[in-house]
Amino acid sequence: MKRAQANGLLLVAALIWGTAFVAQQAGMRDVGPFTFTGARFLFGAVMVAPLAFLELRRLGRRGTFLDVRDLLACGLLGAVLFLGAALQQIGIMSTTVSNAGFLTALYVPLVPIAGALLLRERSHWSVWPASLGCVAGTYLLGGGSLAALSVGDLWVIASALFWAAHVMLVGRVAARKGASVTVAMLQFLIVGVLGMAVGFGSEEVSMDALERALPSIAYAGILSVGVGFTLQVVAQRHTPAADAAILLSCETLFAALAGRFVLGETLTAEQMAGGLLIFACVLAVQILPLWRARRAVAAETG
């Protein structure tokens, strides 16, 4: 797959995820966040299971098989994804779709920051002012006071830590044996089992409630999980994590548009400025390093 094709798949994933915030909020009317998370990821696992089976058969004919290390890596990936998805789902219960979209995007500057602090990877200077800009944007999004952020906003901010970890890990795990679809299916299955286990243990679950929430669960499961996350896993084998982060960050704008036109949500001028500041910083932390690298290549070849 060419890099441009991979980038296109990531943009489609961002569109799906942004609009899925509406379904995620609607589903909370009938079931709890863990049950919703578990059910939608089980939908996704079932959807991609046939593709994973075909992929494993193809790899088997080449003499490539998943070993214990691969399964443990998928387990870690699934656990990180579960924490990100569950915390975000809890947050969506008491915040707007627009806020959830913008605050989820905080994971983007966290990717290079974590790379610099934990993996000693060199980060572009733009990471640090962009991070401060994201804090300022969060302040504005809270109406001019961090204390004014809702409990739901804080849960979504916490989920951003795990989304950042997932972006950093998923490309590495998927590239180990070239089993990207299988990796996607296994992580979905892990999230689904964890979500349903916690949901049945801590939430009131009934068949009537699940039936009422089924359209939202199906939309979030089939498209957001089955299609969106699979596109991410496949595409990130062919594009760097930093590039993936900038494209996936467009999810924030798609979420704001879906909240406005589907749910009729409105933002104050101050909140809109905060959301746009976060988005601008998210773009800057990815575009500026790429622009500098291209200038350097052009200077060497010119």
Side-chain angles (χ1 to χ4, degrees), residues 30 77 86 88-89 97 109 112 118 129 140 155 171 177 199 208 224 259 273 277 282-283 291:
D30 301 296
L77 195 63
Q88 182 193 68
Q89 195 64 43
V97 165
L118 301 179
L140 294 173
W155 280 111
K177 296 290 178 63
D208 287 341
S224 181
L277 179 57
V282 163
L283 291 179
W291 179 68

Side-chain angles (χ1 to χ4, degrees), residues 26-97:
M28 293 299 91
R29 300 168 187 163
D30 301 296
V31 297
F34 290 105
T35 302
F36 186 91
T37 298
R40 78 180 181 111
F41 275 91
L42 287 179
F43 259 84
V46 170
M47 179 178 175
V48 301
L51 298 177
F53 176 74
L54 293 175
E55 181 180 68
L56 288 174
R57 285 187 60 186
R58 174 176 55 81
L59 292 173
R61 288 194 293 266
R62 298 179 181 177
T64 302
F65 302 94
L66 299 184
D67 55 28
V68 175
R69 289 183 60 191
D70 297 316
L71 296 177
L72 289 176
C74 289
L76 173 62
L77 195 63
V80 172
L81 180 58
F82 168 71
L83 290 171
L87 294 179
Q88 182 193 68
Q89 195 64 43
I90 293 172
I92 289 175
M93 294 176 65
S94 52
T95 189
T96 65
V97 165

Side-chain angles (χ1 to χ4, degrees), residues 17 44 48 51 180-181 184-185 187-188 224-235:
W17 289 342
V48 301
L51 298 177
S180 55
V181 178
M185 188 272 293
Q187 69 170 354
F188 299 162
S224 181
V225 177
V227 177
F229 279 104
T230 302
L231 290 179
Q232 180 200 13
V233 172
V234 172

Side-chain angles (χ1 to χ4, degrees), residues 94-273:
S94 52
T95 189
T96 65
V97 165
S98 301
N99 274 28
F102 284 121
L103 293 173
T104 297
L106 294 175
Y107 78 86
V108 178
L110 288 175
V111 171
I113 289 175
L117 298 179
L118 301 179
L119 304 179
R120 297 184 179 180
E121 296 176 348
R122 294 185 60 184
S123 296
H124 192 265
W125 61 266
S126 61
V127 168
W128 311 109
S131 300
L132 294 176
C134 283
V135 173
T138 303
Y139 175 82
L140 294 173
L141 200 59
S145 170
L146 291 179
L149 291 170
S150 70
V151 174
D153 291 332
L154 297 179
W155 280 111
V156 175
I157 291 172
S159 77
L161 298 174
F162 295 98
W163 291 125
H166 186 259
V167 169
M168 295 179 66
L169 290 172
V170 66
R172 298 167 184 254
V173 176
R176 283 177 60 88
K177 296 290 178 63
S180 55
V181 178
T182 303
V183 168
M185 188 272 293
L186 289 175
Q187 69 170 354
F188 299 162
L189 183 61
I190 291 167
V191 177
V193 170
L194 288 174
M196 295 304 291
V198 176
F200 275 94
S202 61
E203 300 169 350
E204 293 186 7
V205 183
S206 68
M207 290 305 299
D208 287 341
L210 285 172
E211 186 176 347
R212 291 193 300 271
L214 185 59
S216 296
I217 293 173
Y219 183 90
I222 294 173
L223 288 180
S224 181
V225 177
V227 177
F229 279 104
T230 302
L231 290 179
Q232 180 200 13
V233 172
V234 172
Q236 278 202 240
R237 289 180 55 205
H238 307 280
T239 192
D243 289 22
I246 184 173
L247 291 163
L248 295 176
S249 68
C250 292
E251 167 190 3
T252 62
L253 292 184
F254 294 133
L257 291 173
R260 175 67 181 88
F261 293 108
V262 178
L263 300 178
E265 294 179 354
T266 59
L267 295 173
T268 66
E270 191 173 34
Q271 289 176 314
M272 180 61 73

